Amino acid sequence: MVDVIKNLQVIKKRVAESAMKTNRKLDDIKIIAVTKNVEVERILEAIQGGIDAIGENRVQEALIKYPLIEKEIEWHMIGYLQRNKAKKAVEHFDLIQSLDRISLAQELDKRGKQQNKIVNVLVQVNVSGEESKSGISPEETVEFIKSLSDYENILIKGLMTIAPYTDDPEETRPYFARMKGLFDEVHKLKGRNIDIEYLSMGMTNDFEVAIEEGSNMIRIGTGIFGERNY
Ligand SMILES: *Cc1c(COP(=O)(O)O)cnc(C)c1O
């Protein structure tokens, strides 16, 4: 049996230790519990353990869980978002971390207007250039954000990335460092729909390196809930 509360304590301790290396505290790093394929009961345990934000990568799955979790928590969309799911996503999610193309921005803006909502987004960056990953290339990210300036119902809150999986998390360090550089650059951009705050990077395998390189939002699944069964 997976002890969610204990796992959370261990993760928080490790987050605090990594944060200290860059003169930050546990509270400066936002922990998103990634709950894909996790039962509602376990999710409620995590919330009891202090989790206030969860990440789902499929709208359908989130919609099923949504009514079963009555707590006031943040819902983050962290997976590839199809345009035909944008309406539901805007209805239910507090932050869409996977904005990776103009056509999706346009659809989110439209749905935001219809629902009288500002849609908070992170721009997903494909920092490693792997073909299997979605995201804007680092070189194009600043231009991409500038090109969103007409979408008044979108609010760009920062950047998200998924580093390549490796057995040695040290190997991810250059990617995270590159993202921090890009984040600092994006931070200087001005615009009505730009309010840069979050650099979302780091998962169970590599969050310590990510924090050391400047992440302020990590997405942890396995480290909290154990190995997922598909
Ligand atoms: C599954 C997933 C995570 C969490 O991965 P773990 O290795 O289980 O911590 C984080 N981010 C995204 C985008 C994911 O799909």
Side-chain angles (χ1 to χ4, degrees):
M1 199 62 177
V2 176
D3 189 339
V4 169
I5 301 283
K6 173 116 181 294
N7 286 350
L8 255 177
Q9 285 168 349
V10 172
I11 293 283
K12 283 182 186 174
K13 186 159 178 285
R14 288 169 59 189
V15 169
E17 281 165 8
S18 304
M20 222 163 60
K21 293 187 186 171
T22 51
N23 288 316
R24 293 180 295 167
K25 309 184 294 294
L26 173 63
D27 288 347
D28 297 327
I29 317 291
K30 193 163 172 71
I31 303 174
I32 313 300
V34 175
T35 51
K36 61 184 178 211
N37 290 72
V38 175
E39 310 156 52
V40 167
E41 221 174 302
R42 298 281 94 77
I43 301 174
L44 292 173
E45 282 174 28
I47 294 170
Q48 214 173 10
I51 282 296
D52 61 5
I54 64 179
E56 285 280 341
N57 66 348
R58 289 176 53 230
V59 175
Q60 272 331 87
E61 190 177 333
L63 288 182
I64 294 168
K65 291 170 177 172
Y66 201 77
L68 303 173
I69 299 173
E70 291 169 342
K71 309 275 192 288
E72 269 300 312
I73 53 162
E74 288 174 27
W75 290 74
H76 293 217
M77 174 62 189
I78 60 171
Y80 180 81
L81 181 56
Q82 291 169 288
R83 259 166 60 182
N84 62 9
K85 302 272 167 47
K87 176 171 176 274
K88 293 279 182 209
V90 168
E91 274 171 28
H92 291 282
F93 287 98
D94 300 289
L95 181 66
I96 292 170
Q97 299 205 10
S98 46
L99 175 61
D100 60 353
R101 59 203 192 278
I102 287 282
S103 57
L104 179 60
Q106 193 174 11
E107 186 69 19
L108 292 172
D109 181 65
K110 177 177 135 191
R111 297 302 180 181
K113 282 190 175 71
Q114 286 172 351
Q115 297 176 34
N116 201 17
K117 266 190 182 172
I118 298 293
V119 185
N120 294 311
V121 299
L122 302 183
V123 172
Q124 182 170 351
V125 178
N126 184 356
V127 69
S128 59
E130 289 166 286
E131 266 178 44
S132 60
K133 291 203 163 78
S134 34
I136 307 293
S137 76
E139 296 82 8
E140 290 168 278
T141 299
V142 168
E143 274 314 306
F144 178 75
I145 291 175
K146 287 182 181 168
S147 74
L148 303 177
S149 64
D150 285 340
Y151 300 127
E152 294 176 358
N153 282 66
I154 281 181
L155 187 60
I156 302 150
K157 298 295 295 180
L159 305 177
M160 182 273 250
T161 202
I162 305 170
Y165 182 87
T166 75
D167 288 333
D168 177 9
E170 257 323 302
E171 289 173 17
T172 61
R173 193 177 292 278
Y175 298 110
F176 291 141
R178 174 132 199 230
M179 283 300 294
K180 178 60 164 64
L182 191 54
F183 180 71
D184 291 341
E185 207 178 316
V186 162
H187 219 284
K188 293 181 200 138
L189 295 177
K190 298 222 174 357
R192 282 177 304 184
N193 68 351
I194 303 178
D195 179 24
I196 302 298
E197 192 175 349
Y198 297 119
L199 178 55
S200 173
M201 57 185 195
M203 306 173 23
T204 299
N205 186 52
D206 55 19
F207 71 88
E208 283 155 316
V209 179
I211 292 170
E212 285 168 26
E213 294 300 326
S215 166
N216 59 16
M217 180 179 275
I218 59 173
R219 310 176 308 268
I220 308 291
T222 314
I224 297 173
F225 300 107
E227 293 290 340
R228 286 178 289 274
N229 305 307
Y230 290 101

